Every structure is written in structure tokens, then in C-alpha cells.
Amino acid sequence: MQFADVKNDIAFRKIFGNENRKDVLISFLNAILDFKGQQQISHVSILNPYQLPALRGGKATIIDVKAKDQRGHEYIVEMQVAEVEGFNKRVLYYTSKSYIDQIDRGEFYSKLRPAIFIGILDFPHTQNPHYISRHRILDIDTGEQCIKDIEFNFIELPKFGKQLEELQTLAEKWVFFLKEAETLKLLPDNLEDEGLKSAYEEANIQTWSKQELAAYDYASMREQDERGRIEAAKRAAEKLGEARGEARGEARGEKRGEKRGRALEKKSIARNLLALGLDIKVIAANTGLSLEQVQHLAEED
């Protein structure tokens, strides 16, 4: 058997957004949220079911599945493969919007049901040493939870280090699946849970169609491109900071020389960023040059 990288856009949606395998999402939610007894989810409606997308367009950095259980509680399960600026604010906005969109203007607030976010992150995000962290609205002094309808959960994959033979709880087996499935060649022996077993079966790319395999490969390529773009932007920002620091040290002197030094610095930085392939609008915003000046430098090169 050959298993997909579950963090891939196509694989993630195919496994967790499959209307014919809802037992996968039900098992995952119950395990990660530690739902027991009457809390347990017995049925879900997938609000954005998996569909094979066109090969072109879109980014692979944000992957989500939305669902509603038998009580009307809404769940957002998202795979974030790269750390981006504004992530926390987007999560807050996204989850809050899912909550308020449940009713129209003029309807009773009592109709609102909880909205629960689960972020599967392929990077460290919180100071919590545990790989699963739960975030709720609590009274700072007493820990009382008066406002209960919105909750944020993060699964930080780099913090999970257990091997296959060490897995005990269903939550651990699910996180291992998310992080390590693509490294396995056989189904694990300890698959008592039918939902998790279905997840492995869906992740077996040997059963996929040619169209799904092509989309999977293309999504992997886009993901690598996106990671490369983010790293390039970070390196460019570091170079920009270094260049500014050097220029500040060298610019001490006469006012005229200082002004000329800043102008030369901006142009030098702009040329470096152009060489990295950054967009001229991004370069203009980071150097203070006008779009016309940056365009002129691009044409010179």
C-alpha cells in the first residue's frame, strides 16, 4: 500500500470531506475533542463536501472542511501547512463568521449554536508543550466559562513525537495518521476504530483515479512553491533589515551625503529584491520607492 501525505490539499479533503465516509470525520472529532457519552457526535452534515478541483488556480496553504453535527454545532477543521502573518486574526474572524452566519438579522440569538475550530498546524504555534491545546473564553481570575459557544483547538504536528508502537489513545492514533501516514507501507495493526480504518483506506493512493493523482501531484507542487515563496520573503526581509542597519551606520555625516546614501540604499535593496523575483508593489512598499522608480530599475537590469 502507498499512503498519501494527509497534509496535501487533495488528500485532506478527500479523506475528511467525503460524504460517503462520514465515519472518518465523526471519529476524528470525537477523539480530538474528547467527546464522551452524550457529548459524542453521531451524525455530521459536511457543509463543503469534497469535489475534485481544476488543476490550476488557488493556493494550497489553507485547507478546510466544515461540518455540522446532530445538535447543530458547527466544526471547522483546517490544515495549515505554513505559518503566515495574521493567522490568529484570520482564525478568529473565520470562526466568528461561521457563528454569526447561523442566523439572519432579526432572528433570536437563542438559535445560535457553538462553533468549534480545529487547526492542524505543520509548525509550532503556541507556548504549550503539548501537541493539542484548547482555547476558550474564561474569567482570568476564577477560570469561569460564561461564554461557551466559541472554542479554538490547535494540533501542532511538530510537537508530536510518538512512534507507531507507542500509540495508546485514539487521539494519538489520529495525530500519528495526520503526521506519518505517508511513511507507512501497511495498515497498522491497532486499528480497532472503524473511522480511522476508513481514513487509511481513503489515503491509499493506489485506489485513486488518474485525475485525483494528477490533482494531488499538482497540489504538492503548489505547496512547495508557496513554502519557497514564504521563505524567500523572510530572507528578503532579513536582507532589508541588514541593509538598513548598514546604511544607518554609514550614513552618519553631512546631510547631503545622508540623503544620497538613503537613496542609494533603497535602490540597492530594490535591485536585490528584484533579483529574488518579488513583485514590484511589494518592493515599493518595503523600500519607499515609487512604483515608477522600481519599474525603472527593473528595466535597467
Side-chain angles (χ1 to χ4, degrees), residues 93-124:
Y93 172 82
Y94 199 20
T95 309
S96 300
K97 191 173 187 305
S98 180
Y99 182 68
I100 64 175
D101 282 351
Q102 295 179 41
I103 62 172
D104 295 323
R105 182 174 296 181
E107 290 190 277
F108 292 112
Y109 295 130
S110 58
K111 291 185 177 181
L112 290 168
R113 294 293 178 266
I116 299 173
F117 176 87
I118 301 175
I120 306 164
L121 313 181
D122 199 22
F123 53 89

Side-chain angles (χ1 to χ4, degrees), residues 41 43-45 47 67-75 98-99 102 110-116 149:
I41 299 169
H43 172 78
V44 291
S45 299
L47 304 181
K68 181 183 294 187
D69 71 10
Q70 70 273 10
R71 299 161 296 188
H73 297 190
E74 291 197 3
Y75 303 88
S98 180
Y99 182 68
Q102 295 179 41
S110 58
K111 291 185 177 181
L112 290 168
R113 294 293 178 266
I116 299 173
D149 274 4

Side-chain angles (χ1 to χ4, degrees), residues 73-184:
H73 297 190
E74 291 197 3
Y75 303 88
I76 301 168
V77 185
E78 175 179 299
M79 174 72 76
Q80 183 79 25
V81 298
E83 188 171 13
V84 294
E85 186 177 354
F87 171 68
N88 285 333
K89 291 184 181 294
R90 184 184 60 73
V91 167
L92 181 60
Y93 172 82
Y94 199 20
T95 309
S96 300
K97 191 173 187 305
S98 180
Y99 182 68
I100 64 175
D101 282 351
Q102 295 179 41
I103 62 172
D104 295 323
R105 182 174 296 181
E107 290 190 277
F108 292 112
Y109 295 130
S110 58
K111 291 185 177 181
L112 290 168
R113 294 293 178 266
I116 299 173
F117 176 87
I118 301 175
I120 306 164
L121 313 181
D122 199 22
F123 53 89
H125 181 60
T126 71
Q127 294 182 9
N128 192 327
H130 301 292
Y131 62 92
I132 296 180
S133 59
R134 293 184 169 87
H135 305 258
R136 296 169 178 169
I137 302 172
L138 304 173
D139 184 292
I140 293 175
D141 294 324
T142 67
E144 181 184 8
Q145 186 186 7
C146 290
I147 302 174
K148 301 180 180 181
D149 274 4
I150 295 183
E151 178 181 316
F152 305 92
N153 301 269
F154 297 110
I155 303 171
E156 299 171 74
L157 296 181
K159 294 180 181 179
F160 184 81
K162 289 195 174 185
Q163 301 302 310
L164 185 60
E165 63 275 8
E166 300 176 298
L167 306 179
Q168 296 182 359
T169 69
L170 184 56
E172 290 175 349
K173 294 175 183 179
W174 267 113
V175 178
F176 180 87
F177 169 76
L178 293 167
K179 186 178 180 181
E180 303 290 353
E182 64 175 323
T183 66
L184 302 180

Side-chain angles (χ1 to χ4, degrees), residues 173-200:
K173 294 175 183 179
W174 267 113
V175 178
F176 180 87
F177 169 76
L178 293 167
K179 186 178 180 181
E180 303 290 353
E182 64 175 323
T183 66
L184 302 180
K185 298 301 181 184
L186 297 171
L187 283 173
D189 294 330
N190 56 353
L191 293 182
E192 302 87 1
D193 183 82
E194 290 299 321
L196 182 56
K197 184 177 179 181
S198 294
Y200 273 101

Side-chain angles (χ1 to χ4, degrees), residues 255-299:
K255 232 176 190 181
R256 185 178 299 173
E258 184 179 345
K259 185 175 180 181
R260 177 175 174 78
R262 285 200 302 269
L264 291 173
E265 171 205 348
K266 291 178 180 179
K267 290 182 179 180
S268 175
I269 294 169
R271 287 191 176 97
N272 288 335
L273 296 180
L274 283 167
L276 289 171
L278 268 68
D279 185 82
I280 63 171
K281 292 182 180 179
V282 174
I283 297 173
N286 281 278
T287 60
L289 296 175
S290 66
L291 288 173
E292 290 76 12
Q293 288 174 308
V294 177
Q295 184 64 47
H296 181 69
L297 291 172
E299 291 171 355

